[in-house]
């Protein structure tokens, strides 16, 4: 099983410390063998993780561009992109630009990080059904812009006279869809996603969600083995309070076919670089040993 790191711990304090801390955590994650490093797509700190909204929070895609210059091989992504925050054409161009600029400097680019289009329907004033329609159109627009088809796109919510995107991504960025809704979200995963990120930590419920995803794959003619299954751990789940219980949970996820778990470095950790180093020493090797 692989390890992802989800970082939202922008500690209060001097702004000039935020960049060096973020870069140091990402480099430590890369050196420790983490597969992916993700940030959240929020404009204010999240009160849901016991932090006041006034605490510092960095804009996601700007931060990924910064990290692309600080790291070499680790995959970079937002977890997850709010689909209503940016026009789809702008989002597709941002991700394509990150893909092109984040390639390895050596000519023999054998190990190159990926930038994922990690997309969801964000909270806004639009009705839920409308947000799902916007999400699906965004997925379609990104796919068209990252292809040889630069013609128009006509949707219910978005209309593009042309879908030129030059330079094209060096590789098509993998589509990551996060969420567990059985009727709409998992249907979109089956139809469009390369990676699914669940947030269901109960193994029995997660097994049910996987079964639902497989049924959607059957209905759309998709091989479910084409979809990489990942799991985001909540801010109350950390590996050091009860390491044995933590590993039992990880073993149950691995048995279900989960390919990667995303461990959060949430607000309130006084030394995020040291915390990341500890994950690298004590957790990542044990997760790697799981089938």
């Amino acid at each position: 099983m692989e390890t992802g790191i989800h970082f939202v711990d922008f500690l209060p304090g001097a702004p000039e410390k935020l960049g060096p801390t973020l870069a140091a955590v990402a480099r430590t994650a890369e050196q420790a063998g983490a597969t992916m490093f993700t940030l959240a797509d929020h404009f204010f700190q999240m009160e849901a993780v016991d932090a006041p909204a006034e605490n510092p929070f960095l804009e996601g895609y700007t931060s990924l561009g910064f990290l692309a210059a600080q790291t070499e091989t680790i995959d970079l992504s937002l977890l997850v992109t709010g689909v209503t925050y940016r026009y789809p054409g702008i989002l597709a161009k941002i991700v394509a630009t990150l893909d092109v600029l984040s390639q390895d400097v050596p000519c023999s680019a054998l190990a190159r990080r990926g930038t994922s289009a990690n997309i969801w329907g964000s909270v806004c004033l639009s009705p839920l059904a409308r947000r799902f329609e916007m999400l699906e159109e965004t997925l379609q627009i990104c796919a068209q812009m990252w292809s040889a088809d630069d013609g128009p796109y006509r949707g219910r919510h978005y209309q593009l006279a042309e879908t030129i995107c030059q330079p094209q991504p060096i590789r098509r960025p993998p589509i990551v869809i996060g969420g567990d809704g059985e009727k709409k979200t998992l249907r979109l995963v089956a139809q469009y996603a390369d990676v699914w990120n669940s947030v269901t930590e109960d193994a029995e419920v997660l097994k049910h969600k996987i079964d639902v995803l497989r049924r959607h794959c059957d209905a759309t003619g998709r091989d479910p083995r084409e979809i990489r299954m990942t799991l985001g751990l909540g801010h109350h789940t950390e590996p050091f309070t009860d390491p044995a219980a933590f590993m039992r949970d990880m073993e149950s996820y691995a048995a279900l076919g989960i390919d990667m778990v995303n461990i959060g470095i949430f607000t309130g950790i006084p030394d995020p670089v040291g915390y990341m180093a500890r994950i690298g020493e004590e957790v990542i090797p044990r997760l790697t040993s799981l089938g």
Side-chain angles (χ1 to χ4, degrees):
M1 178 184 283
E2 299 177 9
T3 304
I5 300 298
H6 185 55
F7 186 82
V8 296
D9 190 18
F10 305 115
L11 292 172
E16 63 269 18
K17 296 181 180 179
L18 297 179
T21 300
L22 176 61
V25 175
R27 288 194 296 265
T28 303
E30 181 174 68
Q31 293 162 5
T35 298
M36 179 176 284
F37 191 87
T38 61
L39 303 174
D41 195 17
H42 293 267
F43 302 125
F44 307 102
Q45 184 55 268
M46 295 178 287
E47 294 177 336
V49 296
D50 304 323
E54 293 80 9
N55 276 11
F57 209 94
L58 299 176
E59 195 280 322
Y61 278 108
T62 308
S63 300
L64 291 186
F66 168 74
L67 289 177
Q70 302 291 324
T71 58
E72 295 180 358
T73 58
I74 195 167
D75 287 359
L76 303 173
S77 183
L78 293 189
L79 192 67
V80 285
T81 296
V83 73
T84 59
Y85 294 169
R86 303 164 188 85
Y87 283 110
I90 298 295
L91 175 61
K93 183 67 174 181
I94 290 170
V95 176
T97 299
L98 275 171
D99 180 84
V100 169
L101 296 183
S102 66
Q103 65 177 309
D104 284 343
V105 175
C107 294
S108 57
L110 299 178
R112 194 177 61 81
R113 99 282 306 286
T115 47
S116 301
N118 197 334
I119 303 171
W120 77 315
S122 65
V123 176
C124 66
L125 297 179
S126 302
L128 181 61
R130 182 173 185 267
R131 278 183 274 144
F132 272 104
E133 292 171 354
M134 295 168 70
L135 169 58
E136 185 159 15
E137 289 188 14
T138 297
L139 293 167
Q140 294 168 353
I141 290 168
C142 286
Q144 183 168 328
M145 288 188 65
W146 299 333
S147 74
D149 181 0
D150 60 4
Y153 176 88
R154 304 296 183 199
R156 179 178 179 183
H157 303 284
Y158 302 111
Q159 296 82 41
L160 285 75
E162 54 194 7
T163 51
I164 298 172
C165 184
Q166 293 295 337
Q168 281 280 294
I170 296 173
R171 63 161 183 169
R172 185 186 69 81
I175 295 292
V176 185
I177 297 180
D180 296 291
E182 297 183 11
K183 293 182 178 180
K184 294 184 178 180
T185 302
L186 293 180
R187 191 267 300 173
L188 292 175
V189 172
Q191 189 167 354
Y192 295 101
D194 303 292
V195 183
W196 168 47
N197 187 75
S198 173
V199 292
T200 297
E201 296 185 58
D202 183 296
E204 287 301 316
V205 179
L206 180 59
K207 181 180 183 300
H208 168 73
K209 300 291 184 181
I210 293 171
D211 290 340
V212 172
L213 174 59
R214 287 171 175 157
R215 290 198 293 271
H216 281 298
C217 286
D218 289 341
T220 59
R222 181 85 182 275
D223 185 346
R225 293 173 296 182
E226 296 176 356
I227 301 171
R228 190 166 178 237
M229 297 193 297
T230 67
L231 175 65
L233 304 179
H235 71 285
H236 294 300
T237 301
E238 61 89 33
F240 302 121
T241 301
D242 188 342
F246 178 83
M247 286 307 302
R248 285 195 297 271
D249 288 340
M250 299 306 108
E251 290 167 359
S252 67
Y253 302 147
L256 292 174
I258 296 298
D259 300 296
M260 183 179 73
V261 291
N262 295 299
I263 299 175
I265 300 182
F266 293 101
T267 187
I269 296 174
D271 178 15
V273 179
Y275 187 82
M276 180 61 245
R278 188 180 178 191
I279 292 173
E281 293 171 359
E282 301 179 24
V283 179
I284 292 180
R286 299 185 69 187
L287 292 179
T288 302
S289 69
L290 298 179

